[in-house]
Amino acid sequence: MERKTRGNVLNQVTNGKQFRFSSVSQGTRPARHCKTSFGARDFGGFQDCFFRDRPMDTARIAVVGAGVVGLSTAVCISKLVPQCSVTIISDKFTPDTTSDVAAGMLIPHTYPDTPIHAQKQWFRETFNHLFAIANSAEAGDAGVHLVSGIKGSGGWTLTRRIDDLWELHPSFDIVVNCSGLGSRQLAGDSKIFPVRGQVLQVQAPWVEHFIRDGSGLTYIYPGTSHVTLGGTRQKGDWNLSPDAENSREILSRCCALEPSLHGACNIREKVGLRPYRPGVRLQIELLARDGRRLPVVHHYGHGSGGISVHWGTALEAARLVSECVHALRTPIPKSKL
């Protein structure tokens, strides 16, 4: 016997809107977007262009990754870390990220290697953040969703692929790694792996409430511009191309839950790779090479729970960045001979 769940949920989508940075530093310039393919050795020119007007004590922070985790982390850093410049670097921005494929439902997830009290805090902080948006004057435009885009004052975005975090040294003082599955290469983390998710995005404006079966594998989630039908959980599958058989199975299962979906139109197939890991990695690592040091804050491995805890974990990542900035600004005491 199938179990149906109906009700109201907080929904988050990432289509067509913009984030805004609220700058902590004074006198910062409007955010800009730069698309380039220059090599690592050309970062010197990039650094000169982006930071020629910054105060000498401004901490330069690079956030690698532009999904919901990376963008939220950049916003939290800009709010919580004084005197910093933030640049988001990614080879893909909306609408080409995994976050754009996600249905965007706020549902608690569990991470076996993460303490329960920390997971509850992340979810609580994320819920409170989204709930405040839902009850704000901007709710009509924003819905209950945070979306990727260009921040209003003080933030930068740069489109390029990063193959080694050391490419960002010395242009940046601190790097925040929000690269998701990219951390297999960038951080040498074999614990993170893809769980392929295929969904259908359809036009069915009469569907106003979500429907989800007991296992959570079959779901119908209405959004602001379309209804998302899902889904699949294919561990270790890196294939980003839609599979016709998967689509037929998804539509059949969803129509069994909601027969009116037989009348859905404008069906689009979408695929995303969830960055699964036994626990979210949130920690500082100090990279060292040839006498040089580069502080890295790792923030990745959310799996399918990124939407549900992104703001809470981003706040924690920002606090770790603040610790790194404090350490950089604290002079090392000289030993007395």
Side-chain angles (χ1 to χ4, degrees):
M1 180 177 179
E2 291 179 337
R3 180 159 63 96
K4 297 185 179 180
T5 306
R6 298 176 183 264
N8 296 319
V9 294
L10 291 176
N11 179 233
Q12 187 173 7
V13 290
T14 53
N15 295 323
K17 302 292 184 182
Q18 293 184 339
F19 269 129
R20 295 292 180 189
F21 259 134
S22 56
S23 176
V24 179
S25 304
Q26 296 295 323
T28 52
R29 295 170 292 178
R32 301 177 186 175
H33 180 78
C34 180
K35 184 173 184 178
T36 179
S37 58
F38 53 71
R41 66 181 60 186
D42 296 318
F43 254 113
F46 158 77
Q47 177 185 8
D48 181 63
C49 170
F50 274 39
F51 301 112
R52 67 167 66 96
D53 298 328
R54 71 179 183 89
M56 290 301 293
D57 61 346
T58 298
R60 303 162 301 174
I61 300 169
V63 177
V64 180
V68 66
V69 172
L71 294 175
S72 300
T73 301
V75 172
C76 287
I77 291 171
S78 73
K79 289 183 176 182
L80 298 180
V81 181
Q83 293 181 295
C84 72
S85 62
V86 182
T87 302
I88 302 170
I89 305 175
S90 179
D91 60 343
K92 294 180 180 179
F93 285 85
T94 189
D96 300 318
T97 70
T98 298
S99 297
D100 287 284
V101 177
M105 309 306 291
L106 195 72
I107 300 173
H109 289 74
T110 58
Y111 303 99
D113 288 1
T114 303
I116 293 296
H117 70 86
Q119 298 184 50
K120 288 183 177 180
Q121 178 180 332
W122 296 342
F123 184 82
R124 186 185 309 112
E125 290 175 336
T126 302
F127 178 89
N128 290 341
H129 174 70
L130 295 180
F131 190 70
I133 294 176
N135 289 280
S136 70
E138 290 77 29
D141 293 328
V144 232
H145 55 271
L146 296 176
V147 289
S148 59
I150 301 173
K151 285 67 187 170
S153 57
W156 302 83
T157 62
L158 174 64
T159 302
R160 65 158 290 161
R161 179 182 176 85
I162 300 297
D163 295 313
D164 188 333
L165 294 179
W166 274 106
E167 295 177 26
L168 304 175
H169 184 280
S171 296
F172 295 94
D173 304 303
I174 300 167
V175 171
V176 185
N177 175 28
C178 301
S179 62
L181 286 172
S183 294
R184 285 184 66 90
Q185 175 182 345
L186 292 179
D189 191 344
S190 60
K191 291 183 179 180
I192 191 166
F193 61 93
V195 175
R196 182 178 181 274
Q198 181 165 324
V199 300
L200 302 179
Q201 295 178 350
V202 306
Q203 294 298 315
W206 59 87
V207 177
E208 298 179 352
H209 304 288
F210 81 85
I211 306 174
R212 184 175 184 265
D213 73 359
S215 68
L217 183 61
T218 303
Y219 50 83
I220 302 164
Y221 291 143
T224 57
S225 60
H226 57 259
V227 178
T228 300
L229 312 182
T232 66
R233 297 177 188 152
Q234 297 158 310
K235 294 183 178 181
D237 191 335
W238 291 86
N239 183 18
L240 283 168
S241 299
D243 181 271
E245 183 60 29
N246 287 164
S247 295
R248 284 191 289 269
E249 291 177 356
I250 292 170
L251 187 59
S252 176
R253 285 188 274 122
C254 289
C255 285
L257 289 180
E258 180 54 68
S260 69
L261 286 172
H262 284 292
C265 60
N266 296 333
I267 299 176
R268 293 180 296 170
E269 301 170 300
K270 297 288 183 178
V271 176
L273 304 180
R274 307 176 182 96
Y276 264 89
R277 195 175 184 276
V280 174
R281 188 179 184 190
L282 254 173
Q283 63 181 173
I284 299 172
E285 180 182 14
L286 185 61
L287 301 184
R289 181 181 295 181
D290 299 328
R292 299 170 296 163
R293 293 187 175 186
L294 180 64
V296 175
V297 174
H298 293 291
H299 181 203
Y300 64 86
H302 296 67
S304 59
I307 298 296
S308 299
V309 299
H310 70 277
W311 195 255
T313 60
L315 287 171
E316 186 166 335
R319 288 189 282 267
L320 294 178
V321 170
S322 185
E323 291 180 18
C324 293
V325 171
H326 177 73
L328 288 174
R329 291 173 177 165
T330 302
I332 300 175
K334 296 181 179 180
S335 61
K336 296 181 180 180
L337 299 179

